[in-house]
Amino acid sequence: MPRILRRARPPTERHQRAAEWARWFTGDSSIAAYRRELAQLTGLGADLAWELVSDLAPLLLERVPAKLGAQVLLATVTLAAAQPKPREAGWALLATVTEELTPAHARTVLETLALGWQASSTALTSTQRRQAIERELRRVIRRLAASGAAGLDALVAVVAVLGISEGDDSAILESIEGPHREQGQEEAAQPPQPGTGKAEDER
């Protein structure tokens, strides 16, 4: 399993990011919570459900609440399944979201992955499920590009490798003004209140 790589940051920035992350991600993120949620979502036994996502789970454990993170893991597994190296592809996607984006934008992308997985629940084939998630991911990338989200260039590069960008990654990158805009322009987003996360509400 790949090591969890944390971007090198000065201590002050690292502490500030950790505090901001805690504002945006609240709830039980233990392995026990993930196992329960995965079993409920998949209808499988806890051990079998956990086996589906165990390679990617360390990226979200103790960081993202299980009610959101379990759906994100299932969505990522679905997205990466067609790749020659699915584990590495899924790892690259989640590591980019959790390490390169601001916590606010990471929450947006993770919720979108979860909603994409929900939307794919009625699909008849694995291809249709993957396409439903891809549509949601492309949509949120375009929206974040319009707001000049910091770190989005890294996410665009990853999804291009995954074949999700439909050739529009150059246009998206051109819409990002410089490497970063001021964080204050982040859509005036506010951290979700307990129990009001989009992915939880629409389950």
Side-chain angles (χ1 to χ4, degrees):
M1 181 184 300
R3 292 176 54 241
I4 300 178
L5 299 178
R6 305 290 191 216
R7 179 201 267 219
R9 292 183 169 92
T12 301
E13 182 183 347
R14 188 167 63 249
H15 295 152
Q16 180 180 3
R17 181 177 174 84
E20 187 72 8
W21 190 274
R23 290 179 60 231
W24 283 93
F25 295 92
T26 60
D28 192 347
S29 59
S30 66
I31 187 171
Y34 269 84
R35 287 170 64 89
R36 288 193 302 270
E37 194 68 22
L38 287 162
Q40 180 178 345
L41 291 169
T42 63
L44 301 172
D47 290 341
L48 185 55
W50 175 254
E51 187 64 26
L52 293 174
V53 301
S54 59
D55 286 340
L56 300 177
L59 286 161
L60 304 186
L61 285 173
E62 306 302 339
R63 298 191 73 197
V64 176
K67 286 189 175 294
L68 170 61
Q71 296 177 80
V72 170
L73 290 173
L74 292 169
T76 304
V77 167
T78 303
L79 276 179
Q83 298 297 315
K85 296 182 178 181
R87 182 181 66 177
E88 287 78 1
W91 192 274
L93 176 60
L94 290 185
T96 300
V97 172
T98 56
E99 290 300 314
E100 297 298 325
L101 302 183
T102 66
H105 289 142
R107 174 88 191 197
T108 298
V109 174
L110 294 178
E111 284 189 336
T112 298
L113 286 171
L115 292 172
W117 186 81
Q118 293 171 21
S120 75
S121 62
T122 58
L124 300 177
T125 68
S126 59
T127 298
Q128 291 173 332
R129 286 193 292 272
R130 185 176 69 253
Q131 289 172 342
I133 298 168
E134 288 176 352
R135 282 194 298 270
E136 292 299 316
L137 188 54
R138 285 195 298 268
R139 177 185 61 78
V140 77
I141 287 175
R142 286 193 294 268
R143 182 158 65 88
L144 291 179
S147 71
L152 189 64
D153 50 349
L155 179 59
V156 170
V158 170
V159 299
V161 171
L162 295 178
I164 296 172
S165 61
E166 290 188 333
D168 62 1
D169 49 300
S170 296
I172 292 174
L173 284 172
E174 288 174 3
S175 72
I176 302 173
E177 297 179 4
H180 303 295
R181 281 188 185 177
E182 291 298 321
Q183 187 169 335
Q185 298 181 12
E186 292 177 357
E187 305 171 302
Q190 295 296 324
Q193 297 301 312
T196 61
K198 293 179 185 176
E200 297 177 31
D201 287 350
E202 302 190 20
R203 286 179 56 206

